[in-house]
PDB file of all heavy atoms in Angstrom:
ATOM      1  N   SER A  25       0.901  -1.108  -0.012  1.00  0.00           N
ATOM      2  CA  SER A  25      -0.039   0.010   0.004  1.00  0.00           C
ATOM      3  C   SER A  25       0.856   1.183  -0.014  1.00  0.00           C
ATOM      4  O   SER A  25       2.067   1.223   0.424  1.00  0.00           O
ATOM      5  CB  SER A  25      -0.894  -0.031   1.229  1.00  0.00           C
ATOM      6  OG  SER A  25      -0.224   0.100   2.375  1.00  0.00           O
ATOM      7  N   VAL A  26       0.310   2.352  -0.525  1.00  0.00           N
ATOM      8  CA  VAL A  26       1.095   3.626  -0.685  1.00  0.00           C
ATOM      9  C   VAL A  26       0.134   4.757  -0.220  1.00  0.00           C
ATOM     10  O   VAL A  26      -1.079   4.665  -0.564  1.00  0.00           O
ATOM     11  CB  VAL A  26       1.548   3.716  -2.102  1.00  0.00           C
ATOM     12  CG1 VAL A  26       2.246   5.131  -2.193  1.00  0.00           C
ATOM     13  CG2 VAL A  26       2.460   2.743  -2.540  1.00  0.00           C
ATOM     14  N   TRP A  27       0.623   5.698   0.423  1.00  0.00           N
ATOM     15  CA  TRP A  27      -0.106   6.962   0.736  1.00  0.00           C
ATOM     16  C   TRP A  27       0.453   8.116  -0.074  1.00  0.00           C
ATOM     17  O   TRP A  27       1.848   8.224  -0.176  1.00  0.00           O
ATOM     18  CB  TRP A  27      -0.025   7.290   2.146  1.00  0.00           C
ATOM     19  CG  TRP A  27      -0.715   6.241   2.998  1.00  0.00           C
ATOM     20  CD1 TRP A  27      -2.043   6.048   3.281  1.00  0.00           C
ATOM     21  CD2 TRP A  27      -0.015   5.116   3.583  1.00  0.00           C
ATOM     22  NE1 TRP A  27      -2.294   5.021   4.077  1.00  0.00           N
ATOM     23  CE2 TRP A  27      -1.031   4.356   4.206  1.00  0.00           C
ATOM     24  CE3 TRP A  27       1.238   4.686   3.674  1.00  0.00           C
ATOM     25  CZ2 TRP A  27      -0.765   3.311   4.945  1.00  0.00           C
ATOM     26  CZ3 TRP A  27       1.652   3.531   4.409  1.00  0.00           C
ATOM     27  CH2 TRP A  27       0.551   2.759   5.078  1.00  0.00           C
ATOM     28  N   ASN A  28      -0.246   8.958  -0.638  1.00  0.00           N
ATOM     29  CA  ASN A  28       0.111  10.093  -1.491  1.00  0.00           C
ATOM     30  C   ASN A  28       0.669   9.741  -2.842  1.00  0.00           C
ATOM     31  O   ASN A  28       1.511  10.355  -3.323  1.00  0.00           O
ATOM     32  CB  ASN A  28       1.157  10.988  -0.675  1.00  0.00           C
ATOM     33  CG  ASN A  28       1.513  12.264  -1.281  1.00  0.00           C
ATOM     34  OD1 ASN A  28       0.483  12.869  -1.691  1.00  0.00           O
ATOM     35  ND2 ASN A  28       2.612  12.773  -1.201  1.00  0.00           N
ATOM     36  N   GLY A  29       0.170   8.613  -3.418  1.00  0.00           N
ATOM     37  CA  GLY A  29       0.622   8.265  -4.650  1.00  0.00           C
ATOM     38  C   GLY A  29      -0.083   7.078  -5.252  1.00  0.00           C
ATOM     39  O   GLY A  29      -1.068   6.519  -4.611  1.00  0.00           O
ATOM     40  N   VAL A  30       0.125   6.800  -6.637  1.00  0.00           N
ATOM     41  CA  VAL A  30      -0.518   5.724  -7.321  1.00  0.00           C
ATOM     42  C   VAL A  30       0.578   4.604  -7.545  1.00  0.00           C
ATOM     43  O   VAL A  30       1.652   4.948  -7.948  1.00  0.00           O
ATOM     44  CB  VAL A  30      -1.135   6.193  -8.581  1.00  0.00           C
ATOM     45  CG1 VAL A  30      -1.524   4.924  -9.452  1.00  0.00           C
ATOM     46  CG2 VAL A  30      -2.319   7.057  -8.325  1.00  0.00           C
ATOM     47  N   LEU A  31       0.316   3.405  -7.267  1.00  0.00           N
ATOM     48  CA  LEU A  31       1.181   2.322  -7.366  1.00  0.00           C
ATOM     49  C   LEU A  31       0.983   1.642  -8.647  1.00  0.00           C
ATOM     50  O   LEU A  31      -0.168   1.251  -9.012  1.00  0.00           O
ATOM     51  CB  LEU A  31       1.008   1.350  -6.132  1.00  0.00           C
ATOM     52  CG  LEU A  31       1.955   0.126  -6.103  1.00  0.00           C
ATOM     53  CD1 LEU A  31       3.398   0.492  -5.949  1.00  0.00           C
ATOM     54  CD2 LEU A  31       1.433  -0.900  -5.020  1.00  0.00           C
ATOM     55  N   SER A  32       2.124   1.494  -9.362  1.00  0.00           N
ATOM     56  CA  SER A  32       1.941   0.799 -10.657  1.00  0.00           C
ATOM     57  C   SER A  32       3.315   0.004 -10.930  1.00  0.00           C
ATOM     58  O   SER A  32       4.047  -0.092  -9.979  1.00  0.00           O
ATOM     59  CB  SER A  32       1.686   1.645 -11.879  1.00  0.00           C
ATOM     60  OG  SER A  32       2.741   2.675 -11.965  1.00  0.00           O
ATOM     61  N   ALA A  33       3.570  -0.607 -12.027  1.00  0.00           N
ATOM     62  CA  ALA A  33       4.726  -1.261 -12.301  1.00  0.00           C
ATOM     63  C   ALA A  33       5.344  -0.774 -13.644  1.00  0.00           C
ATOM     64  O   ALA A  33       4.700  -0.287 -14.490  1.00  0.00           O
ATOM     65  CB  ALA A  33       4.562  -2.773 -12.412  1.00  0.00           C
ATOM     66  N   THR A  34       6.754  -0.901 -13.855  1.00  0.00           N
ATOM     67  CA  THR A  34       7.366  -0.661 -14.985  1.00  0.00           C
ATOM     68  C   THR A  34       7.618  -1.863 -15.773  1.00  0.00           C
ATOM     69  O   THR A  34       7.543  -2.999 -15.325  1.00  0.00           O
ATOM     70  CB  THR A  34       8.669   0.112 -14.749  1.00  0.00           C
ATOM     71  OG1 THR A  34       9.608  -0.768 -14.182  1.00  0.00           O
ATOM     72  CG2 THR A  34       8.492   1.339 -13.863  1.00  0.00           C
ATOM     73  N   ALA A  35       8.050  -1.652 -17.072  1.00  0.00           N
ATOM     74  CA  ALA A  35       8.231  -2.862 -17.973  1.00  0.00           C
ATOM     75  C   ALA A  35       9.377  -3.642 -17.500  1.00  0.00           C
ATOM     76  O   ALA A  35       9.482  -4.906 -17.803  1.00  0.00           O
ATOM     77  CB  ALA A  35       8.458  -2.251 -19.451  1.00  0.00           C
ATOM     78  N   ASP A  36      10.291  -3.010 -16.835  1.00  0.00           N
ATOM     79  CA  ASP A  36      11.597  -3.876 -16.369  1.00  0.00           C
ATOM     80  C   ASP A  36      11.304  -4.391 -14.929  1.00  0.00           C
ATOM     81  O   ASP A  36      12.324  -4.778 -14.334  1.00  0.00           O
ATOM     82  CB  ASP A  36      12.818  -3.021 -16.500  1.00  0.00           C
ATOM     83  CG  ASP A  36      12.751  -1.768 -15.688  1.00  0.00           C
ATOM     84  OD1 ASP A  36      11.716  -1.581 -15.067  1.00  0.00           O
ATOM     85  OD2 ASP A  36      13.739  -0.964 -15.727  1.00  0.00           O
ATOM     86  N   GLY A  37      10.100  -4.425 -14.385  1.00  0.00           N
ATOM     87  CA  GLY A  37       9.852  -5.003 -13.151  1.00  0.00           C
ATOM     88  C   GLY A  37       9.936  -4.189 -11.905  1.00  0.00           C
ATOM     89  O   GLY A  37       9.881  -4.670 -10.773  1.00  0.00           O
ATOM     90  N   ARG A  38      10.296  -2.902 -12.054  1.00  0.00           N
ATOM     91  CA  ARG A  38      10.407  -1.981 -10.985  1.00  0.00           C
ATOM     92  C   ARG A  38       9.099  -1.532 -10.457  1.00  0.00           C
ATOM     93  O   ARG A  38       8.175  -1.684 -11.117  1.00  0.00           O
ATOM     94  CB  ARG A  38      11.347  -0.855 -11.284  1.00  0.00           C
ATOM     95  CG  ARG A  38      12.770  -1.099 -11.534  1.00  0.00           C
ATOM     96  CD  ARG A  38      13.534   0.056 -12.002  1.00  0.00           C
ATOM     97  NE  ARG A  38      12.947   0.731 -13.187  1.00  0.00           N
ATOM     98  CZ  ARG A  38      13.230   2.081 -13.501  1.00  0.00           C
ATOM     99  NH1 ARG A  38      13.943   2.809 -12.692  1.00  0.00           N
ATOM    100  NH2 ARG A  38      12.659   2.571 -14.570  1.00  0.00           N
ATOM    101  N   ILE A  39       9.067  -1.048  -9.194  1.00  0.00           N
ATOM    102  CA  ILE A  39       7.784  -0.442  -8.666  1.00  0.00           C
ATOM    103  C   ILE A  39       7.833   0.988  -8.955  1.00  0.00           C
ATOM    104  O   ILE A  39       8.962   1.653  -8.970  1.00  0.00           O
ATOM    105  CB  ILE A  39       7.801  -0.629  -7.109  1.00  0.00           C
ATOM    106  CG1 ILE A  39       7.352  -2.102  -6.860  1.00  0.00           C
ATOM    107  CG2 ILE A  39       6.785   0.357  -6.558  1.00  0.00           C
ATOM    108  CD1 ILE A  39       7.328  -2.356  -5.276  1.00  0.00           C
ATOM    109  N   LYS A  40       6.653   1.527  -9.350  1.00  0.00           N
ATOM    110  CA  LYS A  40       6.591   2.895  -9.771  1.00  0.00           C
ATOM    111  C   LYS A  40       5.494   3.538  -8.857  1.00  0.00           C
ATOM    112  O   LYS A  40       4.472   2.883  -8.716  1.00  0.00           O
ATOM    113  CB  LYS A  40       6.221   3.152 -11.216  1.00  0.00           C
ATOM    114  CG  LYS A  40       5.901   4.622 -11.632  1.00  0.00           C
ATOM    115  CD  LYS A  40       5.391   4.685 -12.968  1.00  0.00           C
ATOM    116  CE  LYS A  40       4.992   6.137 -13.343  1.00  0.00           C
ATOM    117  NZ  LYS A  40       4.347   6.177 -14.703  1.00  0.00           N
ATOM    118  N   VAL A  41       5.737   4.661  -8.285  1.00  0.00           N
ATOM    119  CA  VAL A  41       4.864   5.483  -7.532  1.00  0.00           C
ATOM    120  C   VAL A  41       4.766   6.830  -8.104  1.00  0.00           C
ATOM    121  O   VAL A  41       5.771   7.500  -8.287  1.00  0.00           O
ATOM    122  CB  VAL A  41       5.160   5.542  -6.060  1.00  0.00           C
ATOM    123  CG1 VAL A  41       4.123   6.522  -5.279  1.00  0.00           C
ATOM    124  CG2 VAL A  41       5.204   4.116  -5.410  1.00  0.00           C
ATOM    125  N   ALA A  42       3.542   7.292  -8.485  1.00  0.00           N
ATOM    126  CA  ALA A  42       3.328   8.610  -9.068  1.00  0.00           C
ATOM    127  C   ALA A  42       2.348   9.345  -8.285  1.00  0.00           C
ATOM    128  O   ALA A  42       1.420   8.804  -7.581  1.00  0.00           O
ATOM    129  CB  ALA A  42       2.845   8.409 -10.637  1.00  0.00           C
ATOM    130  N   ASN A  43       2.579  10.730  -8.332  1.00  0.00           N
ATOM    131  CA  ASN A  43       1.518  11.674  -7.775  1.00  0.00           C
ATOM    132  C   ASN A  43       0.092  11.229  -8.345  1.00  0.00           C
ATOM    133  O   ASN A  43      -0.017  11.118  -9.577  1.00  0.00           O
ATOM    134  CB  ASN A  43       1.886  13.065  -8.019  1.00  0.00           C
ATOM    135  CG  ASN A  43       0.874  14.012  -7.474  1.00  0.00           C
ATOM    136  OD1 ASN A  43      -0.047  14.271  -8.170  1.00  0.00           O
ATOM    137  ND2 ASN A  43       1.171  14.475  -6.237  1.00  0.00           N
ATOM    138  N   ALA A  44      -0.822  11.126  -7.614  1.00  0.00           N
ATOM    139  CA  ALA A  44      -2.232  10.532  -8.036  1.00  0.00           C
ATOM    140  C   ALA A  44      -2.830  11.335  -9.118  1.00  0.00           C
ATOM    141  O   ALA A  44      -3.306  10.877 -10.155  1.00  0.00           O
ATOM    142  CB  ALA A  44      -3.148  10.286  -6.859  1.00  0.00           C
ATOM    143  N   ASP A  45      -2.848  12.634  -8.911  1.00  0.00           N
ATOM    144  CA  ASP A  45      -3.582  13.501  -9.836  1.00  0.00           C
ATOM    145  C   ASP A  45      -2.649  14.406 -10.720  1.00  0.00           C
ATOM    146  O   ASP A  45      -3.155  15.176 -11.503  1.00  0.00           O
ATOM    147  CB  ASP A  45      -4.625  14.373  -9.055  1.00  0.00           C
ATOM    148  CG  ASP A  45      -4.019  15.198  -8.096  1.00  0.00           C
ATOM    149  OD1 ASP A  45      -2.769  15.210  -7.965  1.00  0.00           O
ATOM    150  OD2 ASP A  45      -4.777  15.874  -7.325  1.00  0.00           O
ATOM    151  N   TYR A  46      -1.443  14.271 -10.461  1.00  0.00           N
ATOM    152  CA  TYR A  46      -0.379  15.043 -11.215  1.00  0.00           C
ATOM    153  C   TYR A  46      -0.507  16.507 -11.003  1.00  0.00           C
ATOM    154  O   TYR A  46      -0.045  17.256 -11.830  1.00  0.00           O
ATOM    155  CB  TYR A  46      -0.242  14.612 -12.655  1.00  0.00           C
ATOM    156  CG  TYR A  46      -0.098  13.165 -12.861  1.00  0.00           C
ATOM    157  CD1 TYR A  46      -1.044  12.355 -13.519  1.00  0.00           C
ATOM    158  CD2 TYR A  46       1.063  12.551 -12.374  1.00  0.00           C
ATOM    159  CE1 TYR A  46      -0.954  11.028 -13.706  1.00  0.00           C
ATOM    160  CE2 TYR A  46       1.305  11.161 -12.566  1.00  0.00           C
ATOM    161  CZ  TYR A  46       0.268  10.452 -13.260  1.00  0.00           C
ATOM    162  OH  TYR A  46       0.441   9.136 -13.406  1.00  0.00           O
ATOM    163  N   ASN A  47      -1.229  16.945  -9.979  1.00  0.00           N
ATOM    164  CA  ASN A  47      -1.324  18.456  -9.678  1.00  0.00           C
ATOM    165  C   ASN A  47      -0.679  18.755  -8.357  1.00  0.00           C
ATOM    166  O   ASN A  47      -0.834  19.887  -7.942  1.00  0.00           O
ATOM    167  CB  ASN A  47      -2.822  18.724  -9.625  1.00  0.00           C
ATOM    168  CG  ASN A  47      -3.491  18.635 -10.934  1.00  0.00           C
ATOM    169  OD1 ASN A  47      -2.908  19.056 -11.947  1.00  0.00           O
ATOM    170  ND2 ASN A  47      -4.707  18.051 -10.948  1.00  0.00           N
ATOM    171  N   ARG A  48       0.052  17.854  -7.750  1.00  0.00           N
ATOM    172  CA  ARG A  48       0.823  18.181  -6.629  1.00  0.00           C
ATOM    173  C   ARG A  48       2.133  18.947  -6.947  1.00  0.00           C
ATOM    174  O   ARG A  48       3.244  18.316  -7.124  1.00  0.00           O
ATOM    175  CB  ARG A  48       1.134  16.892  -5.755  1.00  0.00           C
ATOM    176  CG  ARG A  48       1.809  17.198  -4.459  1.00  0.00           C
ATOM    177  CD  ARG A  48       0.599  17.500  -3.417  1.00  0.00           C
ATOM    178  NE  ARG A  48      -0.315  16.402  -3.240  1.00  0.00           N
ATOM    179  CZ  ARG A  48      -1.412  16.492  -2.588  1.00  0.00           C
ATOM    180  NH1 ARG A  48      -1.697  17.664  -1.945  1.00  0.00           N
ATOM    181  NH2 ARG A  48      -2.250  15.451  -2.423  1.00  0.00           N
ATOM    182  N   VAL A  49       2.069  20.239  -7.081  1.00  0.00           N
ATOM    183  CA  VAL A  49       3.209  21.004  -7.565  1.00  0.00           C
ATOM    184  C   VAL A  49       4.299  21.011  -6.484  1.00  0.00           C
ATOM    185  O   VAL A  49       3.946  21.375  -5.273  1.00  0.00           O
ATOM    186  CB  VAL A  49       2.876  22.426  -8.035  1.00  0.00           C
ATOM    187  CG1 VAL A  49       4.052  23.285  -8.375  1.00  0.00           C
ATOM    188  CG2 VAL A  49       1.795  22.388  -9.088  1.00  0.00           C
ATOM    189  N   ILE A  50       5.528  20.730  -6.720  1.00  0.00           N
ATOM    190  CA  ILE A  50       6.612  20.881  -5.831  1.00  0.00           C
ATOM    191  C   ILE A  50       7.438  22.078  -6.136  1.00  0.00           C
ATOM    192  O   ILE A  50       8.074  22.154  -7.279  1.00  0.00           O
ATOM    193  CB  ILE A  50       7.605  19.710  -5.749  1.00  0.00           C
ATOM    194  CG1 ILE A  50       6.657  18.395  -5.582  1.00  0.00           C
ATOM    195  CG2 ILE A  50       8.633  19.672  -4.773  1.00  0.00           C
ATOM    196  CD1 ILE A  50       7.511  17.083  -5.608  1.00  0.00           C
ATOM    197  N   ALA A  51       7.479  23.019  -5.300  1.00  0.00           N
ATOM    198  CA  ALA A  51       8.147  24.276  -5.530  1.00  0.00           C
ATOM    199  C   ALA A  51       9.662  24.046  -5.529  1.00  0.00           C
ATOM    200  O   ALA A  51      10.190  23.165  -5.045  1.00  0.00           O
ATOM    201  CB  ALA A  51       7.836  25.324  -4.400  1.00  0.00           C
ATOM    202  N   PRO A  52      10.490  24.942  -6.228  1.00  0.00           N
ATOM    203  CA  PRO A  52      11.909  24.831  -6.311  1.00  0.00           C
ATOM    204  C   PRO A  52      12.445  24.754  -4.853  1.00  0.00           C
ATOM    205  O   PRO A  52      12.042  25.464  -3.973  1.00  0.00           O
ATOM    206  CB  PRO A  52      12.378  26.037  -7.020  1.00  0.00           C
ATOM    207  CG  PRO A  52      11.192  26.547  -7.840  1.00  0.00           C
ATOM    208  CD  PRO A  52      10.037  26.071  -7.004  1.00  0.00           C
ATOM    209  N   ASP A  53      13.471  23.883  -4.624  1.00  0.00           N
ATOM    210  CA  ASP A  53      14.143  23.560  -3.352  1.00  0.00           C
ATOM    211  C   ASP A  53      13.171  23.219  -2.268  1.00  0.00           C
ATOM    212  O   ASP A  53      13.341  23.610  -1.059  1.00  0.00           O
ATOM    213  CB  ASP A  53      14.903  24.892  -2.974  1.00  0.00           C
ATOM    214  CG  ASP A  53      16.075  24.520  -2.012  1.00  0.00           C
ATOM    215  OD1 ASP A  53      16.531  23.503  -2.041  1.00  0.00           O
ATOM    216  OD2 ASP A  53      16.435  25.457  -1.171  1.00  0.00           O
ATOM    217  N   SER A  54      12.164  22.377  -2.587  1.00  0.00           N
ATOM    218  CA  SER A  54      11.275  21.915  -1.564  1.00  0.00           C
ATOM    219  C   SER A  54      10.942  20.411  -2.142  1.00  0.00           C
ATOM    220  O   SER A  54      11.465  19.804  -2.960  1.00  0.00           O
ATOM    221  CB  SER A  54      10.087  22.677  -1.443  1.00  0.00           C
ATOM    222  OG  SER A  54       9.242  22.736  -2.676  1.00  0.00           O
ATOM    223  N   SER A  55      10.099  19.808  -1.274  1.00  0.00           N
ATOM    224  CA  SER A  55       9.922  18.387  -1.482  1.00  0.00           C
ATOM    225  C   SER A  55       8.501  17.852  -0.983  1.00  0.00           C
ATOM    226  O   SER A  55       7.912  18.577  -0.248  1.00  0.00           O
ATOM    227  CB  SER A  55      11.023  17.545  -0.768  1.00  0.00           C
ATOM    228  OG  SER A  55      10.964  17.684   0.601  1.00  0.00           O
ATOM    229  N   VAL A  56       8.074  16.813  -1.320  1.00  0.00           N
ATOM    230  CA  VAL A  56       7.001  16.121  -0.858  1.00  0.00           C
ATOM    231  C   VAL A  56       7.331  14.600  -0.461  1.00  0.00           C
ATOM    232  O   VAL A  56       8.293  14.059  -1.048  1.00  0.00           O
ATOM    233  CB  VAL A  56       5.689  16.091  -1.714  1.00  0.00           C
ATOM    234  CG1 VAL A  56       5.241  17.376  -2.067  1.00  0.00           C
ATOM    235  CG2 VAL A  56       6.030  15.280  -3.072  1.00  0.00           C
ATOM    236  N   THR A  57       6.698  14.109   0.520  1.00  0.00           N
ATOM    237  CA  THR A  57       7.077  12.696   1.000  1.00  0.00           C
ATOM    238  C   THR A  57       5.819  11.795   0.913  1.00  0.00           C
ATOM    239  O   THR A  57       4.732  12.150   1.401  1.00  0.00           O
ATOM    240  CB  THR A  57       7.603  12.764   2.390  1.00  0.00           C
ATOM    241  OG1 THR A  57       8.774  13.511   2.358  1.00  0.00           O
ATOM    242  CG2 THR A  57       7.991  11.339   2.854  1.00  0.00           C
ATOM    243  N   PHE A  58       5.990  10.556   0.385  1.00  0.00           N
ATOM    244  CA  PHE A  58       4.846   9.592   0.579  1.00  0.00           C
ATOM    245  C   PHE A  58       5.389   8.457   1.288  1.00  0.00           C
ATOM    246  O   PHE A  58       6.505   8.206   1.406  1.00  0.00           O
ATOM    247  CB  PHE A  58       4.428   9.226  -0.912  1.00  0.00           C
ATOM    248  CG  PHE A  58       5.369   8.505  -1.658  1.00  0.00           C
ATOM    249  CD1 PHE A  58       5.503   7.102  -1.522  1.00  0.00           C
ATOM    250  CD2 PHE A  58       6.097   8.968  -2.743  1.00  0.00           C
ATOM    251  CE1 PHE A  58       6.414   6.339  -2.321  1.00  0.00           C
ATOM    252  CE2 PHE A  58       6.987   8.279  -3.605  1.00  0.00           C
ATOM    253  CZ  PHE A  58       7.222   7.045  -3.297  1.00  0.00           C
ATOM    254  N   GLY A  59       4.392   7.664   1.974  1.00  0.00           N
ATOM    255  CA  GLY A  59       4.715   6.518   2.652  1.00  0.00           C
ATOM    256  C   GLY A  59       4.170   5.318   2.045  1.00  0.00           C
ATOM    257  O   GLY A  59       3.262   5.351   1.262  1.00  0.00           O
ATOM    258  N   PHE A  60       4.713   4.151   2.566  1.00  0.00           N
ATOM    259  CA  PHE A  60       4.205   2.811   2.128  1.00  0.00           C
ATOM    260  C   PHE A  60       4.445   1.737   3.069  1.00  0.00           C
ATOM    261  O   PHE A  60       5.154   1.824   4.007  1.00  0.00           O
ATOM    262  CB  PHE A  60       4.773   2.473   0.754  1.00  0.00           C
ATOM    263  CG  PHE A  60       6.245   2.289   0.860  1.00  0.00           C
ATOM    264  CD1 PHE A  60       6.833   0.961   1.072  1.00  0.00           C
ATOM    265  CD2 PHE A  60       7.163   3.283   0.517  1.00  0.00           C
ATOM    266  CE1 PHE A  60       8.153   0.715   1.138  1.00  0.00           C
ATOM    267  CE2 PHE A  60       8.586   3.104   0.629  1.00  0.00           C
ATOM    268  CZ  PHE A  60       9.134   1.888   0.948  1.00  0.00           C
ATOM    269  N   THR A  61       3.665   0.708   2.987  1.00  0.00           N
ATOM    270  CA  THR A  61       3.888  -0.520   3.724  1.00  0.00           C
ATOM    271  C   THR A  61       4.192  -1.643   2.827  1.00  0.00           C
ATOM    272  O   THR A  61       3.938  -1.591   1.622  1.00  0.00           O
ATOM    273  CB  THR A  61       2.658  -0.878   4.615  1.00  0.00           C
ATOM    274  OG1 THR A  61       1.551  -1.134   3.665  1.00  0.00           O
ATOM    275  CG2 THR A  61       2.350   0.182   5.576  1.00  0.00           C
ATOM    276  N   ALA A  62       4.936  -2.617   3.321  1.00  0.00           N
ATOM    277  CA  ALA A  62       5.418  -3.691   2.453  1.00  0.00           C
ATOM    278  C   ALA A  62       5.620  -5.009   3.328  1.00  0.00           C
ATOM    279  O   ALA A  62       5.743  -4.878   4.554  1.00  0.00           O
ATOM    280  CB  ALA A  62       6.737  -3.498   1.878  1.00  0.00           C
ATOM    281  N   THR A  63       5.349  -6.105   2.710  1.00  0.00           N
ATOM    282  CA  THR A  63       5.557  -7.380   3.267  1.00  0.00           C
ATOM    283  C   THR A  63       7.092  -7.789   2.781  1.00  0.00           C
ATOM    284  O   THR A  63       7.399  -7.430   1.720  1.00  0.00           O
ATOM    285  CB  THR A  63       4.571  -8.406   2.811  1.00  0.00           C
ATOM    286  OG1 THR A  63       4.572  -8.609   1.446  1.00  0.00           O
ATOM    287  CG2 THR A  63       3.133  -8.123   3.348  1.00  0.00           C
ATOM    288  N   SER A  64       7.708  -8.536   3.639  1.00  0.00           N
ATOM    289  CA  SER A  64       9.083  -8.865   3.329  1.00  0.00           C
ATOM    290  C   SER A  64       9.588 -10.099   3.997  1.00  0.00           C
ATOM    291  O   SER A  64       9.559 -10.204   5.309  1.00  0.00           O
ATOM    292  CB  SER A  64      10.048  -7.642   3.671  1.00  0.00           C
ATOM    293  OG  SER A  64      11.368  -8.015   3.329  1.00  0.00           O
TER     294      SER A  64
END
């Protein structure tokens, strides 16, 4: 599970997380953080 993003996969088997609506603007010299849980 992921918070603050959409979980998908890439063609080479990696995990991809994207901003859900692509409207979360990150200003210069700033950041956003998303969290996730995993089984391992």
